[in-house]
Amino acid sequence: MNPASDRRNLTALLVAAVFFMENLDATVISTSMPAMARDFGVAPEHLSVGVSAYLVALTVFIPISGWAADRCGARRIFAAAIGVFTFASLLCALSQGLWSFTAARTLQGIGGAMMVPVGRLVVLRDTPKSDMVRVIAILTWPALVAPVLGPPVGGWISTAWSWHWIFLLNLPLGLLALAACLLLVRNGAHAAGRFDMRGFILSGLGFALFMTGLELASRADLPGWWWVCALLLGVALLLAAARHLLRAPNPLLGLAPLRMATFRVCAVGGSLFRCAIGSAPFLVPLMFQVGFGWDAVQAGTLLLWLFAGNLLMKPTTSWIMNRYGFRRTLTVNGLLVAAGFALCALLQESTPLPLIALLLFFTGMTRSLQFTAYNTIGFADVPQDHMRDATTLFSVLQQMNAGMGIALGALALSVARLLHGSEAGQAGAGAGDFRLAFWLIAALALAGTVDSWRLPKDAGQRVLKRKAA
C-alpha cells in the first residue's frame, strides 16, 4: 500500500463527488419547475432565471479560484467553498419567492465556482504524469452522469416528496464532503501576486453577456436585437480581457497553456464537442415528448441507456487510449460521436424502442471515451507551474460549454423551425424540426474532430503507457 497514492485517490473521489453535486444542481430543477412555480406564484418559464443565475455565477467567479487557492491555501478555499455551497442549498430550500430563490442560487453558483476548480487543482498538482489517465477518468464521470440523472431525479423527488428536498439532500452530502476535505486535503503554499481587478471585471462581464446572448438567441418572444447586442458586447469584452491578460504582469488568468498544442485541442475542438454533447439532455427528451408525444416517464427511462453506455465504457477507456494513442482515439471516436447525432436525426415515432435504446447506449459509450480523452490530453504536457492557469481555464471552458450546449440545442431547434416554416414556440416543434436540429448538432461535433486530426502521432505520449507509433 502506498499512503501518498491512497490519499491522492481518495482526494480525486472527493473532488468527483462535489463536482457531481454541483453538476446535478445545474440540471435537477428542470423537471421541478412547475411545482416550484406554483409555490412561488409565478409562471414556470420564469424559473429559468434561477437556472441562468446559477450558471452565470459559476462562469463569472471561476477565474478567481486559482488566485484565491494560491493566496489563501487550497485547503481553506476548498473547505470554504463547500461550506458556501451547502449553506446556499439550505437558503434555496427555505426560499419563499422567485427573487430570494434567485439570490440563493447565485450564492450557490459562487460556492460551486470556487469548489470544483480548486479541488481539481489540488488533485492534478499532486498527480504524476504516469498516473494522469486514471485520475482524469475519476474526475470526468460527473460531467457525464449528472446531466443525464438530473431531470429524472428532480422529477421523482418533486413527485414523491417536494422540490425542497432537492436542496436539503445537499446538507448531509456537503457536511460529509467538508469533513473529508479537512481530513485529506493539504494546504500547500504557492506564490500569488496582486489581485487583477481589471481582468476580473472584463472577463466576468464578458462571460456573463456572452452566455446571456446565446440563451436569448433562442427566445422567439424577445426582440432579436437583445441577443445580438448582448453577444457582440460579450465578445468585445472577452477580446479586451484576452488582450489585458496577455499583457498584465500578474494576470488573474494566465493564457500560457493555450500555446501548448495538446491543451489547445482540448480548448478548441473539445469545446465544440462539449457543446454538442451538452445539447443532448435538452434535445433528446424534448424530441421524445414534444416531437413523438411520449410521456415524461418513458422519455426519462430511455435516457438511462446513455448512463449505462457511459458506465460500460469506463473500464476500457484507458486501454483504448494506451493502445491507439490520443490522435487516433479522438479522431475516430469523434467521427462516431458525430455519427451518433446523425443517427438520432433518423429516429421516428415508429422506431422500435429497443433500437432507440441501443442507439442511446452507443452514444453514451462514445461520448464517455471522448470526454476522458480530451480531459486527459489537455493536461498531458502542462508543467506544474502552469497547472493553476490550466485547471482554471479548463473549468471556465467546461462551464461555458455546458451552458452553451443547452443554448445551442435550443437555437438549432429554432433554426429548424424557421427553415421549415413552423410556428414559434416549443409547441410548434414537430419531429421534422428535431431531426434537422440533430443534423446541425452532428455538424458541430464533426467540426471538433479537425483539431484532433492535426495532432502529431505522439501527442500526449507522456501520460500513456505505450511506445510512439
Side-chain angles (χ1 to χ4, degrees):
M1 298 295 288
N2 187 334
S5 179
D6 291 343
R7 175 186 289 271
R8 188 164 54 243
N9 292 339
L10 290 173
T11 305
L13 288 172
L14 167 63
V15 175
V18 297
F19 189 19
F20 177 80
M21 189 166 62
E22 178 206 279
N23 267 15
L24 191 68
D25 266 45
T27 57
V28 74
I29 72 169
S30 60
T31 47
S32 306
M33 286 184 181
M36 297 172 68
R38 284 195 300 270
D39 286 355
F40 293 163
V42 298
E45 58 269 22
H46 292 171
L47 263 297
S48 64
V49 68
V51 178
S52 301
Y54 181 75
L55 293 175
V56 170
L58 276 171
T59 307
V60 168
F61 285 93
I62 280 174
I64 298 178
S65 60
W67 177 87
D70 284 349
R71 182 63 180 267
C72 304
R75 183 171 181 257
R76 293 190 186 95
I77 296 299
F78 192 34
I82 294 173
V84 169
F85 186 90
T86 305
F87 177 66
S89 298
L90 175 62
L91 294 181
C92 287
L94 297 177
S95 298
Q96 300 296 313
L98 177 60
W99 295 114
S100 61
F101 174 73
T102 302
R105 285 286 281 178
T106 302
L107 182 62
Q108 194 181 36
I110 294 172
M114 306 296 286
M115 186 167 63
V116 173
V118 173
R120 185 186 285 114
L121 177 62
V122 168
V123 174
L124 295 183
R125 270 181 172 167
D126 193 40
T127 301
K129 296 297 183 182
S130 60
D131 206 24
M132 190 72 74
V133 172
R134 187 180 55 79
V135 169
I136 291 293
I138 295 174
L139 297 178
T140 299
W141 70 266
L144 293 165
V145 175
V148 177
L149 292 184
V153 167
W156 181 82
I157 291 176
S158 296
T159 302
W161 300 337
S162 74
W163 64 265
H164 305 81
W165 283 99
I166 291 174
F167 303 102
L168 291 175
L169 288 176
N170 284 340
L171 302 185
L173 297 176
L175 291 175
L176 286 174
L178 182 59
C181 168
L182 296 176
L183 181 65
L184 294 172
V185 179
R186 293 171 178 169
N187 217 35
H190 295 272
R194 289 184 60 187
F195 182 70
D196 182 13
M197 180 60 72
R198 184 178 181 184
F200 171 64
I201 293 174
L202 287 174
S203 62
L205 288 176
F207 287 134
L209 287 170
F210 181 77
M211 293 185 66
T212 300
L214 281 177
E215 183 179 349
L216 294 178
S218 62
R219 295 282 298 273
D221 58 328
L222 296 175
W225 60 269
W226 283 21
W227 72 265
V228 173
C229 289
L231 203 59
L232 291 178
L233 186 55
V235 170
L237 287 171
L238 288 176
L239 290 175
R243 182 180 180 184
H244 166 76
L245 294 173
L246 287 170
R247 296 181 175 184
N250 293 300
L252 175 70
L253 181 62
L255 302 182
L258 290 172
R259 299 191 185 101
M260 305 169 195
T262 48
F263 187 86
R264 193 164 56 248
V265 164
C266 176
V268 180
S271 288
L272 294 176
F273 162 76
R274 286 186 291 269
C275 286
I277 291 301
S279 70
F282 171 81
L283 285 176
V284 174
L286 203 60
M287 180 176 70
F288 290 160
Q289 295 178 72
V290 177
F292 295 171
W294 297 348
D295 59 48
V297 174
Q298 188 176 12
T301 302
L302 279 172
L303 280 180
L304 294 178
W305 285 98
L306 277 171
F307 176 52
N310 292 337
L311 289 181
L312 185 67
M313 178 55 74
K314 279 301 175 189
T316 58
T317 297
S318 297
W319 179 86
I320 292 173
M321 290 190 297
N322 284 314
R323 174 67 177 84
Y324 297 105
F326 282 112
R327 189 181 77 165
R328 190 180 300 178
T329 299
L330 286 169
T331 302
V332 174
N333 192 68
L335 295 175
L336 293 178
V337 170
F341 280 108
L343 290 173
C344 287
L346 301 179
L347 293 177
Q348 300 181 20
E349 186 179 354
S350 58
T351 304
L353 290 181
L355 193 60
I356 295 177
L358 183 63
L359 174 57
L360 294 177
F361 183 79
F362 166 76
T363 57
M365 292 178 65
T366 56
R367 77 176 196 155
S368 176
L369 175 58
Q370 200 77 349
F371 254 115
T372 304
Y374 269 127
N375 292 359
T376 306
I377 196 174
F379 298 100
D381 298 326
V382 177
Q384 289 299 325
D385 57 339
H386 287 302
M387 193 61 76
R388 189 201 86 176
D389 293 330
T391 55
T392 306
L393 265 173
F394 177 79
S395 296
V396 170
L397 290 171
Q398 190 174 47
Q399 193 53 55
M400 280 189 65
N401 297 156
M404 289 170 63
I406 297 174
L408 288 175
L411 182 59
L413 188 57
S414 297
V415 170
R417 290 201 303 267
L418 181 64
L419 293 176
H420 285 158
S422 302
E423 297 180 2
Q426 287 183 1
D433 299 322
F434 285 99
R435 282 192 284 271
L436 181 53
F438 273 112
W439 281 115
L440 295 174
I441 297 300
L444 181 66
L446 187 63
T449 63
V450 175
D451 270 356
S452 305
W453 177 72
R454 296 172 61 186
L455 280 171
K457 288 184 178 180
D458 62 347
Q461 195 68 34
R462 297 173 63 189
V463 301
L464 295 179
K465 299 176 182 177
R466 67 189 292 267
K467 296 180 180 179

